[in-house]
Amino acid sequence: MKHLLSLEALTGAEIERIVSQATVLKKNRAASPQVLTGQQWALIFTKSSTRTRVSFEVGIRELGGQVMFLSGNDIQLGRGEPIKDTARVMGRMIHGAVIRTFAQNDVEEFASFSGIPTINALTDDEHPCQILADLLTMTERIGGWEGRRVCFLGDGDCNVARSWIWASAKLGFELVIGAPKEFQPAASFMDRVASSNISVTDDPSEAVQGCDVLYTDVWVSMGKEEEAKERIETLRPWQIDHALLGKAKPGALVMHCLPAYRGKEITESVLEENATLIFDQAENRLHAQKAVICQLVNGAK
Ligand code: CP
Ligand code: NVA
């Protein structure tokens, strides 16, 4: 594995290896392998972030490296310098890059022109680091994903939903995308995935039936702010509240990648009742991403 650009590009075995190494790293956080000694990494973000930024900054330091945060708007990239030129400059000075931006192609281009390990920290298409952390969380809580049924509710065509779709296709667990017609994954995308483990429904009660995990994300992803009003109106029936939870399997896990908008995709009470799990998910970003970095710099150790 040279880069982590998407879950689409990983094999099931690579995903399993990352989750399994993350479990080991979490157990022994104080003895993190110093695989980044002498290395300088950069975080280049053109979208906001709390969890991803903090977990990468902490993780890189725990692995012995040094890290700089570059806001996309503060560097020349924000004034129109091409990504390929930015990549060629950085490739001569730093050892690895973590990028959060809009177009998936920008991350791919950066990886190809910089020649250094590059990690997708969220694009419009995918959020691979989030789902790796979520798989670690499922492993801790219910022993993994084998034979499990996960339901993603809300904007079924967003980056987080798409990475779940790839995870299901690669790992073989059942995934239900519960979303109104306007927010279902694009047909061309589903054709590319071509997996029989994934179903799509526009009926919330049907979506949650028999699921081991109910998962949601914000209704208005970064970059979609202009559509906020319409999205909130259309997605209203997809809120995880007690009524919907009552239709799911008793004891189903409620997961959220955060940030959470109470009263929109989840109610205050459902979020708070599941806060331990949801903030475990947030913490697991750190462990999962450290595992990703170890795989990138060290191979499958
Ligand atoms: N879940 C997630 O990626 O959070 P941030 O946007 O705060 O990084
Ligand atoms: N789908 C959300 C995820 C935030 C972590 C967004 O792109 O804003």
Side-chain angles (χ1 to χ4, degrees):
M1 221 174 109
K2 175 107 203 281
H3 307 289
L4 174 65
L5 303 179
S6 62
L7 287 193
E8 177 176 4
L10 296 193
T11 62
E14 284 171 327
I15 297 175
E16 280 166 13
R17 202 152 52 225
I18 292 165
V19 175
S20 130
Q21 187 169 19
T23 309
V24 175
L25 290 169
K26 183 170 181 176
K27 278 204 190 102
N28 207 354
R29 186 170 165 190
S32 295
Q34 298 299 289
V35 295
L36 298 186
T37 300
Q39 293 206 9
Q40 305 280 343
W41 279 55
L43 267 54
I44 308 164
F45 281 34
T46 57
K47 285 178 174 172
S48 304
S49 172
T50 299
R51 281 143 287 274
T52 309
R53 176 176 174 175
V54 174
S55 54
F56 268 112
E57 290 206 24
V58 170
I60 289 166
R61 291 194 188 106
E62 286 188 1
L63 294 171
Q66 297 197 342
V67 58
M68 68 193 83
F69 180 83
L70 303 171
S71 158
N73 292 328
D74 292 344
I75 57 176
Q76 297 289 6
L77 189 66
R79 298 183 71 245
E81 183 168 23
I83 192 90
K84 62 182 179 182
D85 292 355
T86 309
R88 282 180 284 194
V89 171
M90 297 220 172
R92 287 163 182 251
M93 297 182 191
I94 61 168
H95 302 90
V98 179
I99 303 180
R100 170 169 283 205
T101 191
F102 295 85
Q104 177 71 23
N105 191 50
D106 283 353
V107 179
E108 313 259 352
E109 203 173 314
F110 186 97
S112 122
F113 277 88
S114 68
I116 55 174
T118 302
I119 299 175
N120 175 355
L122 182 147
T123 62
D124 290 345
D125 287 13
E126 274 221 39
H127 196 0
C129 296
Q130 179 66 53
I131 278 59
L132 291 169
D134 298 336
L135 292 169
L136 170 61
T137 313
M138 279 177 70
T139 303
E140 291 172 342
R141 290 287 174 144
I142 52 175
W145 46 81
E146 212 177 309
R148 298 296 185 178
R149 189 177 162 96
V150 175
C151 174
F152 181 96
L153 297 157
D155 177 2
D157 200 28
C158 76
N159 40 19
V160 172
R162 283 181 176 233
S163 289
W164 268 112
I165 288 170
W166 284 116
S168 161
K170 305 279 172 164
L171 298 172
F173 61 86
E174 242 189 287
L175 178 71
V176 182
I177 300 289
K181 295 248 175 316
E182 298 88 324
F183 295 105
Q184 292 183 353
S188 55
F189 172 70
M190 292 308 274
D191 287 348
R192 199 165 90 223
V193 177
S195 168
S196 57
N197 309 324
I198 304 155
S199 57
V200 181
T201 174
D202 63 357
D203 178 344
S205 310
E206 188 188 312
V208 302
Q209 253 175 41
C211 288
D212 301 287
V213 175
L214 304 192
Y215 194 105
T216 193
D217 179 15
V218 298
W219 288 343
V220 185
S221 284
M222 291 178 277
K224 306 282 184 197
E225 290 78 7
E226 282 180 7
E227 301 169 12
K229 194 167 170 286
E230 175 204 331
R231 284 174 167 263
I232 292 164
E233 273 166 22
T234 311
L235 286 159
R236 187 69 68 194
W238 295 90
Q239 180 183 74
I240 305 189
D241 57 11
H242 280 124
L244 190 59
L245 205 47
K247 295 176 184 163
K249 214 170 176 172
L253 304 182
V254 176
M255 298 178 71
H256 194 311
C257 57
L258 301 175
Y261 290 84
R262 280 122 164 128
K264 305 254 179 355
E265 73 275 2
I266 194 163
T267 58
E268 165 79 12
S269 52
V270 172
L271 187 128
E272 291 301 337
E273 284 156 18
N274 293 279
T276 309
L277 168 63
I278 289 169
F279 289 97
D280 276 354
Q281 272 182 268
E283 180 194 325
N284 283 340
R285 298 294 306 279
L286 170 68
H287 311 297
Q289 289 157 193
K290 282 169 69 181
V292 167
I293 292 171
C294 288
Q295 297 288 324
L296 295 185
V297 301
N298 238 357
K301 278 191 183 163

